[in-house]
Amino acid sequence: MVMEKAISDQPSAIGTVAHRHRLVAVSYLNTKPLLYGLLRSEVQEELEMDLAIPSECARRLVSGEADIALVPVAVIPELPEAHIISDYCIGADGSVATVCVYGDVPIHEMTDIYLDHHSRTSVMLTKLLLQEHWKHEVTFLPAEEGYIDGIGGTVGGLVIGDRTIGLDQRFDYVYDLGAEWKAHTGLPFVFAAWVSTRSLPEDFIQRFNQALREGMDHLPELQLLLSSPHPDFSLTEYFTHHIDYDFDEGKRAALKRFLAFVEEAAG
């Protein structure tokens, strides 16, 4: 049977959750407020939770090993059915701080760029910006462990997540992809969203969103409880000025714009 591909953020199934939903989420610093909300809520009793890098979250959702995942949004076109189930996401309205291209030379002098394998969304965003915004061609290099040490000369590198912290002091040129996308489109951006491959009961979705909302409500105290990963990295600045968690209308428009590029690139 061929399943109709659909993206929906208003699942219609109503009922009681009959089993524990397998959930996998990104393990980066920017997910801590969302995970905090889930872990301190009764909804966790309805979940089997695990953490992984973004690409592994995507793989599990595509393969059917997870029912719900916080995934890089570039994976959505690969799903036969995709339901965005939350009012919250990992997004940015301008500079995101932890998704950047680094190098010793300006972007137009780069001949090669390593692509961080942790997130397809960031990879596709890099390709979009090179094609549409910078209008510059480079050779893309697959990134393996230790690739950051290979950045130098005319070779740049895309780095995402917690590994970016402190790299702005190591390289002369830093291109924040959230800021570059905003300059190119005037829109915010969605890096990851909570996605399910099937309709879920509305009462579960309400409890799930309430748990995430409570996590966001406790963000001020989390900023005090968490230790900074770098002496010059401000958690308050990061959580309040770089990461934008609301999946609002601007981000919906941005997601539609970005996924059109992803699908066109896939042919």
Side-chain angles (χ1 to χ4, degrees):
M1 179 182 296
V2 178
M3 299 180 66
E4 180 182 357
K5 182 178 292 186
I7 299 177
S8 169
D9 53 14
Q10 295 293 332
S12 58
I14 300 177
T16 302
V17 177
H19 67 285
R20 288 163 67 91
H21 303 287
R22 298 166 299 171
L23 179 148
V24 61
V26 180
S27 56
Y28 293 152
L29 180 64
N30 54 28
T31 64
K32 292 295 192 292
L34 302 176
L35 295 175
Y36 183 70
L38 291 176
L39 289 171
R40 69 191 308 273
S41 168
E42 291 183 359
V43 79
Q44 71 162 312
E45 297 176 2
E46 302 174 56
L47 301 170
E48 292 181 7
M49 295 179 61
D50 196 12
L51 300 178
I53 62 173
S55 58
E56 175 63 10
C57 292
R59 187 197 68 77
R60 292 191 198 180
L61 193 64
V62 171
S63 69
E65 296 173 46
D67 304 310
I68 302 168
L70 180 62
V71 291
V73 294
V75 76
I76 288 175
E78 297 182 21
L79 300 170
E81 186 176 352
H83 300 275
I84 297 177
I85 65 167
S86 178
D87 302 326
Y88 299 95
C89 66
I90 303 297
D93 191 4
S95 173
V96 66
T98 50
V99 182
C100 302
V101 171
Y102 298 89
D104 288 339
V105 297
I107 195 82
H108 289 97
E109 295 180 21
M110 293 181 187
T111 57
D112 308 82
I113 292 180
Y114 283 107
L115 296 177
D116 192 325
H117 60 285
H118 279 198
S119 171
R120 196 175 316 174
T121 293
S122 301
V123 166
M124 293 305 298
L125 180 55
T126 301
K127 292 181 177 180
L128 182 154
L129 291 170
L130 281 163
Q131 178 179 312
E132 298 183 5
H133 181 51
W134 292 310
K135 303 184 187 303
H136 179 60
E137 293 185 6
V138 300
T139 298
F140 296 115
L141 304 175
E144 299 179 352
E145 290 303 320
Y147 79 94
I148 294 174
D149 292 332
I151 299 174
T154 62
V155 178
L158 165 68
V159 187
I160 75 166
D162 299 354
R163 294 183 299 175
T164 62
I165 296 171
L167 290 184
D168 58 329
Q169 300 176 22
R170 179 172 169 182
F171 296 102
D172 292 333
Y173 293 89
V174 180
Y175 296 90
D176 185 301
L177 298 198
E180 297 294 340
W181 166 268
K182 178 80 172 185
H184 178 54
T185 65
L187 295 169
F189 192 74
V190 182
F191 289 95
W194 293 100
V195 179
S196 173
T197 53
R198 61 185 177 85
S199 294
L200 297 174
E202 287 238 9
D203 57 344
F204 167 78
I205 292 174
Q206 291 174 1
R207 292 193 299 276
F208 186 79
N209 271 297
Q210 178 60 36
L212 298 178
R213 186 176 304 113
E214 290 180 4
M216 297 307 303
D217 288 343
H218 286 82
L219 186 54
E221 68 188 52
L222 270 178
Q223 294 168 13
L224 298 176
L225 293 173
L226 293 172
S227 58
S228 176
H230 190 277
D232 296 325
F233 187 84
S234 168
L235 289 175
T236 300
E237 177 77 12
Y238 182 60
F239 282 127
T240 58
H241 293 94
H242 292 296
I243 302 301
D244 190 335
Y245 291 97
D246 291 326
F247 187 48
D248 54 23
E249 289 304 315
K251 293 191 187 68
R252 294 174 197 275
L255 181 59
K256 182 177 180 180
R257 166 80 166 79
F258 177 68
L259 290 184
F261 174 82
V262 173
E263 292 183 314
E264 181 180 350

